[in-house]
Amino acid sequence: MSKPTGDAPGMVIVGAGQAGVQAAEALRAGGYEGSVTLLGDEPYGPYHRPPLSKAWLAGEMDAAQLMMRAPDMLARKNIDLRTRVSVASIDRPQKLLHLKNGSVLPYDGLVLATGSTPRSLNIPGADTMGVLALRSRDDANAISDRMTMCAEQSRPVVVIGGGFIGLEVAATARQKDLLVTVLESAPRLLGRVLSPSLSDWYARLHTGHGVTLMLNTQCIAIEHDEQGVTGVRLSDGSLLPAGLVVVGVGVLANDAMARKAGLPCDRGIIVDACGRTDDPFIVAAGDCTARRLSDGSLLRLESVQNATEQGKSAASALLGQERPFTATPWFWSDQFDKKLQMAGLSMGADHWAVRGDMDAGTGFSVYHFAGDRLIAVDSINSAREHLQARKLLDAGVSPTVAQATDTGFDLASLLKKA
Ligand code: FAD
């Protein structure tokens, strides 16, 4: 076994993504003066992932805009960013990291911010050339290259999975004038998060832009020749021709290393609201975590807000400061010219109120209720209403369905009374 490299132990962060960068900067902002080392296994410094399915894939953004921090910004904060470094395992008793290159790195405090990995399809041919998932900048570039080939050869694109990433890729592909089919095994799009009316609205949005939508549809195999994918075989025996298949069927938390080190995991590294694991010297943040809520249940979120806030909370916890992340969750998605902004968690909603006209082409919102309680609000092209919804949800204030539906009623007045 190699010996430690002589680095003074300090704070080490594994994963140079959204959560890792926030944690590194929060350690400095919190007054930590020891060494801060940010390890990432990708060839690039930290970059924004959301544009990968949107402006970056559309070719509307350059590498400098994709970058999360300018090259010298981390150095100015004395954060030692090391790219192309992959951590293989954690030796908790010795407080050491074993790197895949054979070297060893000691730590005083460790932040695990390893993100997540796209689920793969478990069907024959799933590893064929031209069947691609989207997580990294390299993935996006590979999809973009294959889209160019499809455009040149007039070959269609098939997207498997009608979730956010699949639908964003479909929208971007249509912007490039490609023939696009989206396959979804469930009866509606984004059925786990959206109201039935908003799922239908998204279906109309996509079909209105020329996307072929196939709901309740199972694919059973990928067909190919020596040039890669040629089509997707469906359970009814039919074949959909394709020059590119994008697989967007969810992600799995990168928690294997933590699990191997004996940290409790359950579809994510289990953390409390401050990002603490069971080990007082190890915290975790972002997509790799599952947060224990006060009722004992576990919450997994995959969003920029979650990674940002957990990164800050986790860094504070390593410094002995309490900074729980309990704010209302929010998320966004851009498809065609529509921006969806979601506030709250809609699981358990039993009825919905629509504020505004869904078909007028202007902004509107869908309010999710569980009983009398407002639990989430989804706004389309209405940033003002999204911000107000976050305030209502943070304050635990619920309008009635009649108030939510009545655009003449000032929902902000409820906050003044609260
Ligand atoms: P990541 O950003 O994935 O960073 C983790 C890093 O750790 C990766 O670079 C990984 O390679 C590295 N790593 C893993 N294991 C190791 C190891 N052993 N050693 C060293 N490095 C390691 N969220 C939104 O809120 N809105 C959106 O519109 C939105 N759009 C998205 C579009 C796409 C295409 C994708 C992929 C995600 C999108 N998300 C969006 C989700 C959001 O980007 C993620 O939730 C967020 O990036 C999670 O940050 P993270 O730091 O936890 O993980």
Side-chain angles (χ1 to χ4, degrees):
M1 188 196 297
S2 10
K3 286 200 162 348
T5 49
D7 298 80
M11 301 300 186
V12 179
I13 299 149
V14 186
Q18 188 76 41
V21 167
Q22 290 297 334
E25 293 184 334
L27 285 167
R28 288 289 179 239
Y32 183 70
E33 290 178 352
S35 73
V36 174
T37 308
L38 180 57
L39 306 175
D41 59 2
E42 293 191 63
Y44 313 101
Y47 61 89
H48 297 286
R49 268 172 225 284
L52 296 180
S53 47
K54 310 175 182 86
W56 178 262
L57 189 59
E60 293 165 354
M61 198 178 192
D62 63 29
Q65 292 169 311
L66 192 69
M67 223 184 300
M68 207 181 289
R69 298 290 180 269
D72 60 341
M73 200 160 160
L74 294 173
R76 270 190 270 129
K77 293 183 179 177
N78 203 10
I79 294 167
D80 179 10
L81 169 68
R82 303 185 195 175
T83 54
R84 299 176 195 270
V85 173
S86 187
V87 178
S89 64
I90 310 164
D91 177 343
R92 287 170 58 201
Q94 301 291 325
K95 295 211 273 174
L96 293 176
L97 293 178
H98 292 270
L99 310 187
K100 283 205 180 134
N101 64 15
S103 56
V104 174
L105 195 64
Y107 64 83
D108 289 323
L110 178 63
V111 183
L112 297 176
T114 49
S116 55
T117 303
R119 273 179 201 277
S120 45
L121 277 182
N122 193 15
I123 57 172
D127 57 355
T128 298
M129 189 174 43
V131 178
L132 298 165
L134 176 50
R135 181 72 198 175
S136 66
R137 182 171 158 174
D138 287 347
D139 295 338
N141 293 348
I143 290 173
S144 174
D145 288 349
R146 197 87 194 175
M147 282 183 173
T148 304
M149 184 214 79
C150 285
E152 286 164 0
Q153 300 180 8
S154 302
R155 296 178 69 191
V157 175
V158 173
V159 175
I160 301 180
F164 285 117
I165 289 182
L167 291 175
E168 289 182 350
V169 169
T172 304
R174 279 304 297 143
Q175 268 173 261
K176 293 178 183 234
D177 219 18
L178 291 160
L179 282 174
V180 184
T181 300
V182 174
L183 304 180
E184 169 56 56
S185 58
R188 63 184 176 96
L189 295 176
L190 297 158
R192 281 185 302 127
V193 285
L194 298 187
S195 69
S197 63
L198 198 50
S199 284
D200 291 348
W201 183 88
Y202 265 106
R204 292 197 300 278
L205 177 71
H206 276 264
T207 50
H209 280 88
V211 174
T212 302
L213 260 189
M214 298 179 73
L215 303 174
N216 293 305
T217 301
Q218 303 281 346
C219 44
I220 56 166
I222 303 291
E223 305 287 332
H224 54 93
D225 62 16
E226 58 289 348
Q227 251 92 61
V229 63
T230 53
V232 178
R233 179 77 59 192
L234 305 182
S235 57
D236 65 2
S238 59
L239 182 72
L240 281 181
L244 163 66
V245 173
V246 179
V247 180
V249 293
V251 296
L252 297 170
N254 289 333
D255 62 0
M257 189 167 63
R259 215 171 330 116
K260 216 166 118 210
L263 292 172
C265 295
D266 182 354
R267 285 157 295 143
I269 306 165
I270 298 178
V271 294
D272 67 8
C274 293
R276 291 179 285 232
T277 68
D278 273 13
D279 183 322
F281 303 104
I282 305 181
V283 293
D287 278 19
C288 65
T289 66
R291 187 182 358 142
R292 179 81 67 200
L293 301 182
S294 50
D295 65 1
S297 63
L298 288 171
L299 176 65
R300 257 193 62 64
L301 294 172
E302 294 137 19
S303 70
V304 166
Q305 178 216 19
N306 183 59
T308 303
E309 294 305 321
Q310 277 193 324
K312 292 179 188 169
S313 296
S316 300
L318 277 186
L319 301 179
Q321 300 155 9
E322 286 271 317
R323 186 195 178 282
F325 165 45
T326 51
T328 297
W330 54 260
F331 183 83
W332 81 94
S333 174
D334 298 322
Q335 295 165 47
F336 302 107
D337 58 345
K338 308 296 181 205
K339 178 177 277 298
L340 166 68
Q341 290 173 288
M342 311 172 80
L345 298 172
S346 61
M347 281 101 68
D350 47 33
H351 60 286
W352 299 271
V354 178
R355 188 175 176 86
D357 184 346
M358 291 181 95
D359 297 315
T362 49
F364 67 87
S365 294
V366 176
Y367 286 67
H368 300 247
F369 291 88
D372 292 340
R373 200 163 57 86
L374 179 70
I375 57 169
V377 180
D378 300 335
S379 303
I380 299 282
N381 288 359
S382 184
R384 199 184 64 82
E385 202 151 323
H386 168 70
L387 291 175
Q388 180 173 276
R390 276 162 56 179
K391 288 185 192 153
L392 289 171
L393 290 161
D394 275 339
V397 170
S398 297
T400 63
V401 168
Q403 289 168 339
T405 314
D406 179 0
T407 49
F409 181 81
D410 177 16
L411 291 170
S413 66
L414 298 174
L415 286 164
K416 289 176 203 138
K417 287 185 205 146

